[in-house]
Amino acid sequence: MTGPEPWWTDAVVYQVYPRSFADGNGDGVGDLAGIRQHLDHIADLGVDVVWLSPVYRSPQADNGYDISDYEDIDPLFGTIDEFDALLVEVHRRGMKLVMDLVVNHSSDQHPWFQAAKLSRACPKHDWYIWRAPVDGHEPNEWRSAFGGPAWTWDPGTGQYYLHMFTPQQPDLNWDNPDMRAAVHAMMNGWLDRGVDGFRMDVINHIAKDPEALSDGSAAYVMQPRVHDHLQEMHERVFAGRDAMLTVGEMPGVTVQDAALFTDPDRHELDMVFQFEHVGLDHGPTTKFDNRPFDLPVLKASLARWQTALAETGWNSLYLANHDQPRPVSRFGAAAVAATAGAAPPGSGADPFAFRYESATLLATVLHLHRGTPYVYQGDEIGMVNAGFRTIDEYRDIESLNWYRGAVGRGMPVAEALDALAFRSRDNARTPIPWDDSEPAGGFSSTTPWIGMGQGWPAVTVAADRAAGDRSVFAHTRRLIDLRHTSRTVRLGAFELLEADHPSLWAFTRSLPDESEPPLAVVANLSSSALELPEDVGSHLGDLVLGNLGVPETGALRPWEARVHAFG
Ligand code: GLC
């Protein structure tokens, strides 16, 4: 990276999933008023940016990722005035607000799609992707990410329309210039209103070639035209605006592609969300085919991305979001304990084992990589997976579709529930437990839209913030402060140490100009003490930060993570 570094190279982003953050109007669903009331919680963490998952008008088939009006707020979440009030308060606290942009598809209730369905002659028809039947069937065998064919028959037009997600989420046709212009105008509208950028939902899916016969993702992910679309979007929307943030969600993106998308000279995106590290514990068939994670493989994956984007491009750093299980349950002591006995991930183990240690260790490792860290709501207090034991507790369309299919094909109910308990997106969608009060931990004055999960009432914001030197929040705040003050954390080169070690995650960060001492991170992902290998231990200098306070001996305690000067 040459020249002055962009502002987001020392920024930390906090993701709010509005449904589950705080309910201001007592209907059981989180909303904008609730976010505004609890904004100091986010500001106190010291983050720079708030990313809001979708709050636009939506029939909520996929919790707002199915938008029927890109320019208005869904009444479930509030009003446009309430949005403006929130934006003012975010800015007043010195933070930026990034919106979700969901333009691979709209809702089938969007007036664009309603017009498109009227007739093939309607100009909006071409804003979506339609094909005639082939031999009385779907035009190809593409599958929707949430199960079933990616094509749905529309009797009115006598054609199939494409939807990579649910049938209620028809894919927009990015080959149509009028559609693209409408999207650009909508984006400019939000930026003119004061919004500071976008997190772009499955943005590498926008260019696709439906003539291709492939049931893999090759024909709809990463078609070369996606670069043209992003460059055009940059020119029409972002060029000339200051201090914006753009991050593209890109399932299946390779490190080579990411280097292109985030090369500043190409004017496409600031950073991407890659999926490699969150796919390593998936089995070969579906993401619900859970495998234990293997630390050397996980370390190597993140290290590869560090190296590949060291000279050109930039990484986003995340372990969780609204689509992933909670990190404590997935990579922490609970997950390691379950898999050590060869039990399937998620079954049996105590969900609270070394919870504080696991949460703070994982945060330390993540925040000390090079890139822009993302904190998903609730991870700053060490929330655990929901722990639902019956299918009626689930709300997520992906989870429900998968369960019906799996049980329908003969999977025992208990096995299907085990798989969901580990992998379902609902694990990270339970309400933020502000305190231990009835009926919903201060989240709402009524029964919430989804259960509070097994963590409540033990795990709450109030308890964590009062926990002194065992507060996940306080530790996360220290990590964020460190990024803001240390050029080494912001920009230092990354080197993985002890790559094959099964329970030690160790790496160094160093500035080429040696203007600051190098740092080393050492973390023990096991529930027994770990003697550091000589070549690491003998170079550790002053303690910069640790999750268990001042070390007692050179050895790492169970789930201890430390940052040291290194030399
Ligand atoms: C993205 C979102 C996810 C949504 C999907 C379809 O992956 O993060 O929540 O279901 O896109 O919009």
Side-chain angles (χ1 to χ4, degrees), residues 62 65 102 105 146 165 169 199 201-202 249 322-323 425 429:
D62 185 19
Y65 283 90
V102 189
H105 46 268
F146 296 158
F165 295 90
Q169 293 165 295
R199 173 270 186 186
D201 196 65
V202 290
E249 188 209 23
H322 64 292
D323 294 330
R425 305 196 294 181
R429 296 179 177 185

Side-chain angles (χ1 to χ4, degrees), residues 17 100 102 131 141 166 206 233 277 421 454 460 525 557 565:
Y17 193 64
D100 225 297
V102 189
R131 289 293 181 276
E141 72 276 27
T166 69
I206 61 176
M233 181 188 281
H277 65 300
Q454 63 185 342
T460 67
L525 281 84
R557 286 165 277 178

Side-chain angles (χ1 to χ4, degrees), residues 403-425:
Y403 176 88
R404 275 186 215 111
V407 171
R409 284 187 299 275
M411 181 181 278
V413 163
E415 198 179 309
L417 287 172
D418 269 351
L420 286 183
F422 186 72
R423 186 69 66 190
S424 167
R425 305 196 294 181

Side-chain angles (χ1 to χ4, degrees), residues 13-28:
V13 183
Y14 184 92
Q15 181 190 354
V16 172
Y17 193 64
R19 276 188 160 260
S20 302
F21 192 71
D23 172 16
N25 69 350
D27 64 356

Side-chain angles (χ1 to χ4, degrees), residues 164-239:
M164 299 315 308
F165 295 90
T166 69
Q168 293 84 39
Q169 293 165 295
D171 279 41
L172 287 159
N173 176 17
W174 278 75
D175 287 335
N176 184 298
D178 295 335
M179 191 288 294
R180 297 203 303 275
V183 168
H184 299 152
M186 173 273 283
M187 293 172 73
N188 276 311
W190 285 105
L191 297 181
D192 292 345
R193 209 172 188 103
V195 162
D196 304 290
F198 293 100
R199 173 270 186 186
M200 304 180 185
D201 196 65
V202 290
I203 201 71
N204 61 336
H205 288 24
I206 61 176
K208 43 186 93 71
D209 178 8
E211 307 330 318
L213 291 176
S214 152
D215 63 351
S217 58
Y220 54 86
V221 178
M222 291 305 313
Q223 292 292 302
R225 283 191 323 285
V226 69
H227 293 286
D228 304 336
H229 294 325
L230 289 173
Q231 286 169 13
E232 182 191 61
M233 181 188 281
H234 186 275
E235 187 185 309
R236 306 259 158 98
V237 179
F238 298 107

